[in-house]
């Protein structure tokens, strides 16, 4: 016990006493053990800054917009604007984080990569996250504010965001890039508002969309969710409307502080691997403190439970299950209906990781096989060695994912120009 304690102190002390504005990032995992003196370590101002400060430093232009959903939530959209762009792109973020995930890779951030390539870049935010706490009548301290899952995010938030971006960009068709939850909600949107999506979306890129994950997938999360789901009605924090990560709560701040100052970053990663899949040395060491910092958005358990219901049904992408009685009222059926993927009318590009054990390869094969044949003409991208989080912080994210997406978009733009040319002549 004593030994464990002194070991823990040894790991923490050098960092706790590090003066502020000193090194907070290292280019090697070993560096974090000796952050005062290692030549691998440096101060990264992004880690202490807010999203607009970061965009300002690296790009120099940004806008903030607000849009209201049909059910009364106010969403914040960030834009890195560009005159006469090659295209307009809307990024939608994963669970527990927010729009900052797209700018958390310093000057090599995903959002900046697309901006530099000539795109007008919009960063979406979902209801309830770090930037979206406003509603016309509800307060974010009320349970009713948190009564949503990825269904409402897809049906209301994506609808409002896409239509707003379209209107702000002279009616441009939009490239939607959704990662994890952003992919799930993208599939909800494209299937439930299929006609609108056909008018507004040029291409829908869904990265690890987590729509058909079944029992064979080994990620640890499903076991935790299974326990929690079955404790509903017994303990209050297992309630669907229980809010995880109360913003600025002391316990979240403490956990973030401890993780940021904990020297053994690999230890943190190995725990994450149990949930997200193994990926040897792929997580970029420089990015880990930023990654910790941008993962603190609030969300209701209902989102997790909706995912759990997909697991429990062994990979059926369906509406939220409220129990027979309420299902009958809401859906006209005792069973929650599956999302009508067969209705999708937009081109879809599925991207997923071969080592992902939260959203396994076979689940993505299943999604792919259920999409209409003419919406998947560009095929699918299976990224070797990638787990669930490599899409944001993996060293090879650009070469293996984002540059490929840019190439695909160029190809589509070229095809569109050829079609226009043929129509004219
Ligand atoms: C929209 O039109 C304005 C004025 O014609 C132009 O400056 C701007 O670049 C256009 N934006 C997009 C996204 O096409
Ligand atoms: C980002 O910054 C690093 C270090 O200053 C530099 O080597 C790299 O070329 C920069 N990347 C871009 C895309 O500007
Ligand atoms: C949450 O939403 C469902 C479905 O719309 C509704 O039946 C239920 O009464 C709502 N619960 C609360 C606490 O608002
Ligand atoms: C696929 O074909 C259907 C039926 O002709 C059409 O409604 C839909 O828009 C097409 N989808 C794409 C992505 O072109």
């Amino acid at each position: 016990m004593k030994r464990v304690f002194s070991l823990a102190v040894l790991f923490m002390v050098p960092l706790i006493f590090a003066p502020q504005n000193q090194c907070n990032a290292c280019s090697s995992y070993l560096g974090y053990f000796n952050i005062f003196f290692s030549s691998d370590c440096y101060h990264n101002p992004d880690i202490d800054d807010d999203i607009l400060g970061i965009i300002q430093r690296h790009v120099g232009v940004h806008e903030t917009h607000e849009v209201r959903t049909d059910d009364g939530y106010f969403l914040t959209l960030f834009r890195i604007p560009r005159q006469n762009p090659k295209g307009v792109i809307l990024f939608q973020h994963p669970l527990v984080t927010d729009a900052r995930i797209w700018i958390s890779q310093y000057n090599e951030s995903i959002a900046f990569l697309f901006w530099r390539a000539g795109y007008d870049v919009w960063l979406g935010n979902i209801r309830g996250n770090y930037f979206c706490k406003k509603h016309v009548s509800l307060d974010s301290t009320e349970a009713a504010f948190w009564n949503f899952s990825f269904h409402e995010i897809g049906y209301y938030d994506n609808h409002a965001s896409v239509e707003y971006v379209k209107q702000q960009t002279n009616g441009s068709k939009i490239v939607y890039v959704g990662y994890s939850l952003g992919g799930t909600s993208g599939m909800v949107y494209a299937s439930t508002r299929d006609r609108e999506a056909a008018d507004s979306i040029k291409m829908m890129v869904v990265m690890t969309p987590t729509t058909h994950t079944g029992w064979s997938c080994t990620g640890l999360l499903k076991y935790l969710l299974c326990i929690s789901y079955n404790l509903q009605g017994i303990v209050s924090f297992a309630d669907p409307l229980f809010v995880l990560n109360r913003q600025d709560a002391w316990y979240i701040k403490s956990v973030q502080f401890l993780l940021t100052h904990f020297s053994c970053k690999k230890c943190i990663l190995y725990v994450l691997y149990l949930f997200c899949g193994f990926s040897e040395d792929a997580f970029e060491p420089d990015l880990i403190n930023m990654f910790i910092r941008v993962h603190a958005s609030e969300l209701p358990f209902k989102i997790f439970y909706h995912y759990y219901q997909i697991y429990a049904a062994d990979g059926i992408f369906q509406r939220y299950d409220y129990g027979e009685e309420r299902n009958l009222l809401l859906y006209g059926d005792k069973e929650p209906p599956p999302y009508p993927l067969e209705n999708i009318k937009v081109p879809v590009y599925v991207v997923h990781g071969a080592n992902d054990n939260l959203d396994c390869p076979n689940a993505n094969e299943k999604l792919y096989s259920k999409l209409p044949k003419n919406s998947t003409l560009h095929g699918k991208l299976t990224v070797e060695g990638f787990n669930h989080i490599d899409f944001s912080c993996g060293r090879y994210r650009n070469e293996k994912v984002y540059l490929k997406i840019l190439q695909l978009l160029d190809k589509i733009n070229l095809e569109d120009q050829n079609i226009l040319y043929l129509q004219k002549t």
Side-chain angles (χ1 to χ4, degrees), residues 92-265:
Q92 200 58 283
H93 65 80
L95 213 59
V96 205
T97 177
D98 50 66
R100 290 179 295 180
I101 192 75
W102 307 109
I103 53 103
S104 58
Q105 301 85 11
Y106 313 162
N107 65 340
E108 312 260 358
S109 288
I110 299 157
F112 306 156
L113 182 77
F114 282 80
W115 186 82
R116 290 189 192 113
Y119 287 85
D120 186 359
V121 173
W122 293 74
L123 309 176
N125 282 295
I126 61 165
R127 56 187 60 199
N129 87 1
Y130 193 78
F131 300 105
C132 306
K133 291 292 190 289
K134 259 170 57 192
H135 183 275
V136 281
S137 59
L138 298 171
D139 192 87
S140 69
T141 54
E142 292 173 66
F145 180 93
W146 298 99
N147 191 7
F148 61 85
S149 76
F150 55 72
H151 177 78
E152 286 74 16
I153 296 168
Y155 193 76
Y156 294 109
D157 295 0
N158 283 345
H159 159 70
S161 306
V162 166
E163 289 309 298
Y164 181 83
V165 172
K166 184 178 170 193
Q167 171 230 324
Q168 291 286 311
T169 52
N170 315 333
S172 303
K173 274 199 167 188
I174 292 155
V175 176
Y176 178 103
V177 177
Y179 170 21
S180 195
L181 171 69
T184 323
S185 69
M187 288 291 90
V188 170
Y189 171 72
S191 62
T192 57
R193 299 204 188 242
D194 52 311
R195 284 178 197 288
E196 175 194 306
D199 280 341
S200 307
I201 301 288
K202 183 180 189 113
M203 173 75 175
M204 180 158 264
V205 181
V206 288
M207 305 191 295
T208 69
T210 326
T211 51
H212 291 79
T213 318
W215 280 119
S216 62
C217 210
T218 56
L220 207 58
L221 187 64
K222 69 176 182 202
Y223 301 107
L224 297 186
L225 290 182
C226 180
I227 296 168
S228 179
Y229 195 75
N230 288 298
L231 285 176
Q232 282 180 80
I234 301 172
V235 289
S236 63
F237 62 77
D239 221 53
L241 302 191
F242 179 80
V243 179
L244 188 72
N245 271 357
R246 271 294 177 196
Q247 202 148 305
D248 296 328
W250 64 269
Y251 59 92
I252 296 300
K253 292 202 151 176
S254 313
V255 170
Q256 282 208 327
F257 180 83
L258 291 177
L259 291 178
T260 309
H261 292 88
F262 187 56
S263 305
C264 185
K265 300 297 182 197

Side-chain angles (χ1 to χ4, degrees), residues 7 15 24 46 49-50 66 83-84 101 113 149 152 155-156 171 190 196 208 241 258 331 339 350 375 384 389 403:
L7 209 62
L15 291 152
N24 57 8
D46 287 8
D49 210 345
D50 61 15
E66 189 176 70
Q83 293 294 311
N84 304 314
I101 192 75
L113 182 77
S149 76
E152 286 74 16
Y155 193 76
Y156 294 109
E196 175 194 306
T208 69
L241 302 191
L258 291 177
Y331 312 131
Y339 283 101
V350 178
S375 70
E384 286 311 318
I389 50 180
L403 292 176

Side-chain angles (χ1 to χ4, degrees), residues 408-424:
L408 176 65
L409 295 178
D410 277 347
K411 189 175 143 218
I412 292 169
N413 279 338
L414 202 65
E415 282 167 6
D416 286 356
Q417 279 162 17
N418 287 342
I419 290 168
L420 279 179
Y421 177 76
L422 287 175
Q423 282 169 350
K424 272 188 203 148

Side-chain angles (χ1 to χ4, degrees), residues 144 147 241 302 322 326 330:
N147 191 7
L241 302 191
K302 191 167 173 179
Y322 288 97
R326 206 130 46 103
L330 286 169

